[in-house]
Amino acid sequence: DVRALARINLEIQEIHAEKYPAIFKKNVIAQDIEKEFVEALAEDYNKIYVIVNNHEVIGYCWFRILSVPETSL
């Protein structure tokens, strides 16, 4: 549910924007965040797992699977 992801993201965005206004934007629009999630989920390398409690999304983990060339490290 993209709306649930956007809702959680907006809550955290506001907290970050209050603490770090030079880095995080204030007054982000929910529809813009929803669009970002839709676009991200269309890419195979983006994965989002949700945390659900009593049928409500209460958190998520978003990660990207990247293919990088092997190095000596």
Side-chain angles (χ1 to χ4, degrees):
D1 182 3
V2 181
R3 285 194 177 119
L5 295 172
R7 176 184 49 81
I8 294 165
N9 183 277
L10 285 170
E11 287 177 30
I12 301 304
Q13 180 73 21
E14 288 301 315
I15 293 168
H16 287 156
E18 286 294 322
K19 287 190 97 64
Y20 308 103
I23 300 172
F24 293 94
K25 296 177 184 179
K26 282 189 166 197
N27 303 318
V28 178
I29 299 168
Q31 290 81 6
D32 292 343
I33 298 299
E34 290 176 18
K35 182 181 174 200
E36 292 283 339
F37 277 111
V38 168
E39 291 172 1
L41 288 167
E43 300 294 340
D44 288 338
Y45 55 82
N46 285 312
K47 304 295 180 192
I48 300 175
Y49 288 93
V50 296
I51 299 99
V52 178
N53 185 26
N54 292 326
H55 307 289
E56 179 184 2
V57 177
I58 60 169
Y60 67 88
C61 176
W62 177 356
F63 61 95
R64 291 183 174 157
I65 299 172
L66 302 176
S67 180
V68 295
E70 186 176 340
T71 68
S72 59
L73 299 176

